[in-house]
C-alpha cells in the first residue's frame, strides 16, 4: 500500500467505527473548552472532566476567574498535575482576555498562541472544536499512530501535523483527529498492542519505533 491507499482505507475504517465524534473534554463555551484543554496537558481527559465541574462552579468566565486567587485555582486543579504552572496560566490568560478581547476567546491561531499556557496544539483544539475552523491537533497519541501506519517519518508532532494535513482532506481534519484518538484508545494502545487485533495495523502494517 502506498500512502494514498493507506489513508483511504484508514479514513473509511475510522468513519465506519466512529461516525459520531463527541468532544472528549466536557465544556459549554469556548472559554471552558480552552481551560479544559489547558488542564489536559499531561493529564487524562477523564481526570480533567472530574475537576472542571469543581472549577467552573466557582468560575466559568474570565470575569469570574480573575476574582479567584492563583492559589485558589491551584488548590482545585491540583489533581490534574502541573498545578502551579497551570493555575498561573489560567489566571493570566483570563486577565488578558478581559483586557484585550472583551472577555471573549479570540478566533485566531496567532492570538490564542500568545496566551499564557496555550501552545499550538491547544490553539488547534479550540479553533477546530469551538469555532469549527479546520485544524489538525496532533498529540503524542496521534503522532504514534501516524508513525505506526507509515503516514509520517516525522521526528516530532509538528512534522506529523504537516504530513497528515497533506494526506487528509481539509474538510475532514476536525473529525479525523478525534476519530484517530478514539481508535488509539480502543485498538492501538501504546502498550499491550496486538497487531492482529488492530483492524488498521493488520491491514496497512505496523511500524514501531526502535527503543
Amino acid at each position: 500500500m502506498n500512502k494514498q491507499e493507506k489513508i483511504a482505507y484508514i479514513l473509511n475504517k475510522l468513519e465506519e467505527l466512529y461516525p459520531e465524534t463527541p468532544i472528549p473534554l466536557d465544556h459549554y463555551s469556548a472559554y471552558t473548552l480552552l481551560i479544559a484543554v489547558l488542564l489536559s496537558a499531561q493529564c487524562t481527559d477523564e481526570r480533567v472532566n472530574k475537576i472542571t465541574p469543581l472549577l467552573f462552579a466557582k468560575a466559568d468566565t474570565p470575569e469570574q476567574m480573575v476574582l479567584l486567587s492563583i492559589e485558589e485555582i491551584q488548590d482545585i486543579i491540583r489533581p490534574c498535575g502541573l498545578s502551579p504552572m497551570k493555575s498561573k496560566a489560567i489566571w493570566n490568560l483570563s486577565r488578558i482576555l478581559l483586557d484585550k478581547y472583551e472577555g471573549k476567546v479570540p478566533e485566531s491561531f496567532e492570538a490564542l498562541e500568545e496566551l499564557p499556557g496555550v501552545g499550538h496544539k491547544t490553539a488547534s483544539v479550540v479553533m477546530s472544536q469551538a469555532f469549527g475552523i479546520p485544524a489538525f491537533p496532533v498529540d503524542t497519541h496521534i503522532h504514534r499512530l501516524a508513525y505506526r501506519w507509515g503516514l509520517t517519518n516525522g521526528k516530532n508532532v509538528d512534522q506529523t501535523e504537516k504530513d497528515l494535513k497533506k494526506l487528509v482532506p481539509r474538510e475532514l481534519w476536525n473529525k479525523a483527529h478525534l476519530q484517530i484518538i478514539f481508535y488509539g484508545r480502543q485498538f492501538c494502545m501504546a502498550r499491550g498492542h496486538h497487531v492482529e487485533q488492530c483492524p488498521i495495523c493488520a491491514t496497512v502494517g505496523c511500524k514501531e519505533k526502535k527503543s
Side-chain angles (χ1 to χ4, degrees):
M1 277 188 169
N2 60 34
K3 284 186 179 180
Q4 291 300 330
E5 291 169 333
K6 286 183 178 182
I7 199 64
Y9 175 83
I10 289 166
L11 292 175
N12 284 335
K13 179 58 69 175
L14 291 175
E15 184 62 24
E16 174 190 319
L17 291 169
Y18 310 106
E20 303 295 329
T21 52
I23 298 169
L25 291 168
D26 296 339
H27 68 286
Y28 44 88
S29 66
Y31 178 73
T32 55
L33 177 62
L34 174 61
I35 300 304
V37 179
L38 189 155
L39 289 173
S40 72
Q42 297 185 38
C43 182
T44 65
D45 292 346
E46 291 78 10
R47 179 167 293 178
V48 172
N49 287 339
K50 290 179 180 178
I51 298 304
T52 48
L54 305 176
L55 178 62
F56 297 154
K58 289 183 174 290
D60 62 359
T61 65
E63 292 87 350
Q64 294 170 345
M65 196 66 74
V66 297
L67 296 178
L68 300 179
S69 68
I70 292 174
E71 291 73 23
E72 286 177 292
I73 298 170
Q74 183 177 344
D75 284 344
I76 297 170
I77 68 170
R78 198 178 306 277
C80 291
L82 306 176
S83 60
M85 179 183 71
K86 290 177 180 178
S87 57
K88 289 178 184 177
I90 290 170
W91 194 95
N92 287 322
L93 75 80
S94 299
R95 182 76 263 167
I96 292 170
L97 292 181
L98 291 171
D99 292 343
K100 289 186 66 174
Y101 302 105
E102 300 180 340
K104 298 179 181 178
V105 177
E107 296 185 33
S108 84
F109 285 98
E110 294 77 15
L112 284 168
E113 290 178 33
E114 288 177 354
L115 296 173
V118 178
H120 180 66
K121 183 241 175 183
T122 297
S124 295
V125 172
V126 173
M127 290 293 281
S128 65
Q129 298 178 1
F131 302 127
I133 296 169
F136 210 121
V138 174
D139 60 12
T140 54
H141 304 293
I142 292 179
H143 177 59
R144 171 170 50 82
L145 268 61
Y147 183 87
R148 272 183 175 172
W149 297 338
L151 303 180
T152 183
N153 286 315
K155 302 296 184 183
N156 53 58
V157 294
D158 294 333
Q159 185 59 50
T160 297
E161 179 182 340
K162 291 176 184 176
D163 291 339
L164 289 175
K165 282 181 172 179
K166 290 177 184 176
L167 290 167
V168 178
R170 180 180 173 87
E171 64 272 17
L172 299 181
W173 288 358
N174 292 356
K175 188 173 188 180
H177 98 265
L178 286 171
Q179 289 173 322
I180 295 173
I181 289 172
F182 295 154
Y183 184 88
R185 290 175 178 173
Q186 185 174 358
F187 294 106
C188 208
M189 298 76 72
R191 296 183 179 86
H193 172 243
H194 301 287
V195 173
E196 66 278 4
Q197 297 172 12
C198 181
I200 291 177
C201 287
T203 301
V204 306
C206 178
K207 182 170 62 171
E208 294 286 8
K209 286 186 178 293
K210 296 178 181 178
S211 56

